[in-house]
Amino acid sequence: MVDVKSVANPLFLREEELRQAIEMLFFAYRDFTGGPDGMLAEIGLGRAHHRVIYFVGRNPGITVSELLKILRITKQSLSRVLSHLVEEEYITQTPGERDRRQRLLTLTVKGVELERRLTADQRERIADAFRKAGADAVQGFKLVLHGIIDAPDRDQFDVSGGPTHLPAARSGGKLVGSKIAGGKR
Amino acid sequence: MVDVKSVANPLFLREEELRQAIEMLFFAYRDFTGGPDGMLAEIGLGRAHHRVIYFVGRNPGITVSELLKILRITKQSLSRVLSHLVEEEYITQTPGERDRRQRLLTLTVKGVELERRLTADQRERIADAFRKAGADAVQGFKLVLHGIIDAPDRDQFDVSGGPTHLPAARSGGKLVGSKIAGGKR
DNA sequence: TTTTTACGTCAACCATGTTGACTTACTTTC
DNA sequence: GAAAGTAAGTCAACATGGTTGACGTAAAAA
């Protein structure tokens, strides 16, 4: 009974380690979304609104169908949330120039303000965790998360290890936060 | 326009890096839950059932109130899901021995079977990511996730870096996957 | 004996996801 | 120029899983 640790079956170790990861992911995500959820509730919005505001803020001028692909929900589902955000003037819709069927989505000043407040909470949490864990750990964190994400979407993330580089991701006014731009799905 | 990278404002770099982390967490969680969701749908269960089955499997004999604290939902919410799982014989309830008001929850054989199938999918995804990323990255991943989790819950996770040790976490038949055992909340 | 605790239940409501059918406007293709 | 395809929206019905509030029962603790 004493030597369990040293004699332990490596398969069991692995199982234990994987379960630990599963649980950490669960708790981390729960706490990660907890902050914004509170703020949103105060102004009568929900997590779904947050997601829309986030990705529109990240990709100004994004089309509805691009947004749908990122969120992986139906247009009817998005519609409820989006039209509310438009009514409340967090988001504006402008017809596409090249294709006038499109409604390009952009945050209003009010929308940017809210986005900033919501994301600040999450950024702070992540920044604290990064600071405590150190640069190497951050790199490992990204590498593992990268591997967890399904192939089509993970490619958008630079995980090469060097300092994060910038406008590459934004070049040509194309999408960030989604690999839709130029890629078939 | 050329030197943007090297002259870049470190605050902007930081912002970019943090947003990347936010998005990776979003996508990783989405894909991480996608597999089980599919299986569950086939047998008329949802993600909420999965969470209950997972934590009961992880903590055989857990009480209802302990489970509530892990899940952070109301008892009415849990009730719907839990009573369904009891009816369908995934979970059994037995009165506590020391305190007969308690209903101790345990997976049935059928429940264990389902839990195994659901978790296998997630374990595989994580294991693949771990394998691709390497041991150091795994350690960094855990360290950062640890920092993201709120103080009360994060303590249950051993993130010290050595090989995962085992029955410490299970000693005395107390809780795993929650720090409730013996701690005031 | 009284109070507190663990658990359960009924009822109403809300947020957010789904499917399916249909419309409108615009672009693309033959 | 007509036909087909695409972007977006709409209406309706439904499912899941969260919430609050009120109330009940049995057992433990004070």
Side-chain angles (χ1 to χ4, degrees), chain A residues 102-170:
Chain A
Q102 299 177 330
R103 263 80 158 175
L104 307 185
L105 307 174
T106 319
L107 293 187
T108 62
V109 172
K110 185 179 173 189
V112 169
E113 216 288 281
L114 176 57
E115 196 281 332
R116 203 196 47 68
R117 274 193 11 213
L118 293 172
T119 308
D121 185 278
Q122 297 188 316
R123 274 207 312 259
E124 212 170 301
R125 180 182 291 268
I126 306 260
D128 285 352
F130 277 12
R131 212 173 302 123
K132 275 187 287 186
D136 287 354
V138 168
Q139 179 56 21
F141 172 73
K142 288 195 212 162
L143 255 179
V144 172
L145 275 193
H146 183 263
I148 293 176
I149 299 170
D150 275 341
D153 275 330
R154 66 164 152 246
D155 305 336
Q156 69 189 87
F157 296 108
D158 171 24
V159 124
S160 59
T164 317
H165 60 229
L166 320 175
R170 200 67 197 69

Side-chain angles (χ1 to χ4, degrees), chain A residues 63-65 75-76 79 93 99 101-103:
Chain A
T63 66
V64 171
S65 51
K75 64 179 171 179
Q76 295 92 327
S79 165
Q93 298 172 303
D99 183 340
R101 291 170 303 180
Q102 299 177 330
R103 263 80 158 175

Side-chain angles (χ1 to χ4, degrees), chain B residues 46-49 51 73-74 76-77 80 99-101:
Chain B
R47 197 180 293 182
H49 300 92
R51 291 198 279 255
I73 57 175
T74 60
Q76 296 92 326
S77 222
R80 249 189 323 230
D99 183 339
R100 285 182 352 240
R101 291 170 304 179

Side-chain angles (χ1 to χ4, degrees), chain B residues 45 48-64 67 71 78-79 81-94 103-115:
Chain B
L45 301 180
H49 300 92
H50 185 191
R51 291 198 279 255
V52 171
I53 287 180
Y54 182 87
F55 284 108
V56 170
R58 190 77 161 130
N59 305 284
I62 191 175
T63 66
V64 170
L67 188 52
L71 298 175
L78 174 59
S79 165
V81 172
L82 182 55
S83 43
H84 185 200
L85 290 172
V86 170
E87 271 166 30
E88 300 284 324
E89 301 193 305
Y90 291 101
I91 288 180
T92 52
Q93 298 172 302
T94 56
R103 264 80 158 174
L104 307 185
L105 307 175
T106 319
L107 292 187
T108 62
V109 172
K110 185 179 173 188
V112 169
E113 216 289 282
L114 176 58
E115 196 282 332

Side-chain angles (χ1 to χ4, degrees), chain B residues 123-144:
Chain B
R123 274 206 313 259
E124 212 171 301
R125 179 180 291 267
I126 307 259
D128 284 352
F130 277 12
R131 212 174 302 121
K132 276 187 287 184
D136 287 355
V138 168
Q139 179 55 21
F141 172 73
K142 288 196 212 162
L143 255 178
V144 173

